[in-house]
Amino acid sequence: ICEPRDRIRTFMLVVFQFLQTFGFYGFAAWVPTLIAQQTGINLHGSLLYSFIIAIANPFGPLLAMSFADKCERKWQVVGAACCIGIFGMLFSFQNTMSLLILFGVLITLSNNIMSYSFHNYQAELFPARIRARAVGFTYSLSRLSAVFVSFIIGFFLQTAGTKGVFGLFAVAMLIVVIAIGGWGPRTLNRELEEISG
């Protein structure tokens, strides 16, 4: 990755990949604990509500099919990150089950829209000669951050409660918005050679 343009795109995706893990895997892995902490219900009840929220997973990409090729992909990523941050903060202020489930489902849908859109987006950014290496390298950062996310979330939950955890998610998503929104090139209706050329 020797071209300055490719270095900027790589840095942008490194930042994105490291932080998107907080919203995506952080929420999915910690939702039973977060619900139990919010409501005081037992683990069995919390797992049931988490299961209801998890059922929404296939519907994010199905919903995105309606606008996937009509909207600029970088703004799909940015919009989904904004939704994760906003719905997460709203989730942290709820204590009724129906609202927790509603905002949990909205976070799940947003996470899945972000996931589908960034996988497509990152593959469009690099020329063919380095595409697999560049995408593999940047995506490996999300696997690396996944190692630390649970420890960081556990620390925030213990010291700042669920509002602190969702504040952490919101800050991570804000940085994602700045990185992708500020440095991400347009890809809609452009040939791959034009984007990476």
Side-chain angles (χ1 to χ4, degrees), residues 81-131:
C82 287
C83 289
I84 293 164
I86 292 166
F87 295 145
M89 290 307 298
L90 290 170
F91 182 101
S92 73
F93 284 95
Q94 306 310 314
N95 52 22
T96 61
M97 247 347 113
S98 58
L99 289 174
L100 282 169
I101 290 171
L102 171 67
F103 289 115
V105 165
L106 291 172
I107 293 167
T108 300
L109 291 174
S110 301
N111 272 325
N112 280 281
I113 289 170
M114 182 174 67
S115 178
Y116 110 83
S117 58
F118 90 71
H119 281 291
N120 291 317
Y121 184 63
Q122 68 184 356
E124 297 172 321
L125 298 183
F126 298 101
R129 72 182 189 286
I130 61 166
R131 184 170 296 135

Side-chain angles (χ1 to χ4, degrees), residues 153-173:
I153 291 172
F155 172 79
F156 271 78
L157 186 60
Q158 187 174 18
T159 58
T162 54
K163 288 178 181 62
V165 170
F166 283 101
L168 171 68
F169 291 173
V171 169
M173 293 303 105

Side-chain angles (χ1 to χ4, degrees), residues 18-74:
F18 194 83
L19 294 172
Q20 63 89 11
T21 312
F22 283 91
F24 193 90
Y25 294 105
F27 179 74
W30 281 83
V31 70
T33 305
L34 295 169
I35 289 175
Q37 183 90 6
Q38 277 293 99
T39 61
I41 64 172
N42 62 28
L43 185 61
H44 175 73
S46 177
L47 287 171
L48 174 63
Y49 296 121
S50 299
F51 173 73
I52 294 168
I53 290 169
I55 289 174
N57 274 303
F59 297 102
L62 287 173
L63 173 67
M65 283 174 46
S66 63
F67 57 82
D69 292 317
K70 297 175 187 165
C71 301
E72 180 62 56
R73 240 180 293 282
K74 86 178 224 174

Side-chain angles (χ1 to χ4, degrees), residues 127-142:
R129 72 182 189 286
I130 61 166
R131 184 170 296 135
R133 271 182 301 158
V135 170
F137 171 73
T138 58
Y139 190 64
S140 70
L141 269 291
S142 72

